[in-house]
Amino acid sequence: KEITNPYLLSDLGVAAVLAEATARAARFMVLVNAGKLRDAASRGKLLAEIETILVHADTRAAAVAAHGLRHLQDRLTDCR
């Protein structure tokens, strides 16, 4: 059962791409500032956390984008 309006699928796809890009941008900010942390353990924890967040963002964005693309392509097929 679909839980979204089919006309919002493109908006969801764009949101997924932008959310992933935001996570990637945050990674740059963390990397540029991590060197200011003198405590190696804290720095390591922070760097590991941003990598975990990025993997999660990539996975979720890919799933949402694939779902949206599949349904949009199905709609095009139905129009033929």
Side-chain angles (χ1 to χ4, degrees):
K1 177 183 169 193
E2 291 303 314
I3 58 171
T4 189
N5 182 321
Y7 295 104
L8 296 177
L9 288 173
S10 62
D11 295 335
L12 289 172
V14 170
V17 169
L18 293 175
E20 181 183 10
T22 300
R24 291 184 176 281
R27 180 189 201 193
F28 281 102
M29 299 302 292
V30 168
L31 290 174
V32 79
N33 289 300
K36 294 181 181 180
L37 291 174
R38 292 199 171 131
D39 180 41
S42 295
R43 185 172 49 251
K45 183 178 176 184
L46 178 66
L47 294 174
E49 187 174 350
I50 192 62
E51 294 304 321
T52 299
I53 290 168
L54 191 57
V55 168
H56 180 72
D58 288 347
T59 302
R60 297 303 304 152
V64 170
H67 176 80
L69 283 174
R70 185 175 65 251
H71 286 283
L72 288 171
Q73 289 168 340
D74 288 348
R75 287 175 47 105
L76 286 175
T77 302
D78 293 343
C79 293
R80 294 179 189 166

